[in-house]
Amino acid sequence: MLLLCQPLFDCLDEIKSKNEEAYIIFPLAAAKLFRQNDAKRLAKKKNIVFVSGRYEGIDERVIEKYANEVFSIGEFILTGGELPSLVMADAISRNVENVLGNADS
């Protein structure tokens, strides 16, 4: 089932109304590849929101309206966007100052 627009519009409107700096990322199979340079750049963002679809994905109107960026983690298809979101969150968090406790890690 395709995730419907209105519940996502409502949710993302609420997030944006409370935090204009929220940076919204959609993991998609057909998007530019997420790379280490992206992780380093995104580590400087204050608030990142990942919107993960399931099975058939998210209505394109939501992506067009809210996406600051879309990424793929590779040339394969998963059942949802949760794992790509976790992979990107892990890569990004490693680049946030003091997260690992050792800048050389």
Side-chain angles (χ1 to χ4, degrees), residues 26-33 70-72:
F26 290 79
L28 300 174
K32 67 181 175 180
L33 193 61
V70 295
F71 288 109
S72 169

Side-chain angles (χ1 to χ4, degrees), residues 74-104:
E75 293 184 6
F76 48 86
I77 307 294
L78 300 170
T79 56
E82 301 88 352
L83 291 174
S85 293
L86 287 169
V87 166
M88 289 185 281
D90 185 75
I92 293 165
S93 66
R94 289 184 56 83
N95 291 284
V96 175
E97 189 174 330
N98 297 321
V99 165
L100 295 178
N102 180 350
D104 295 329

Side-chain angles (χ1 to χ4, degrees), residues 8-26 41-42 44-51 62-63 65-69 92:
L8 286 172
F9 283 162
D10 294 345
C11 178
L12 294 171
D13 283 340
E14 181 74 14
I15 289 169
K16 291 297 254 179
S17 73
K18 292 183 177 181
N19 185 347
E20 292 178 7
E21 294 179 18
Y23 198 80
I24 301 174
I25 297 173
F26 290 79
R41 177 178 51 81
L42 292 168
K44 296 178 176 98
K45 299 287 182 192
K46 186 173 181 179
N47 298 289
I48 297 175
V49 177
F50 290 99
V51 182
V62 177
I63 297 165
K65 183 173 181 179
Y66 294 101
N68 292 106
E69 290 194 72
I92 293 165

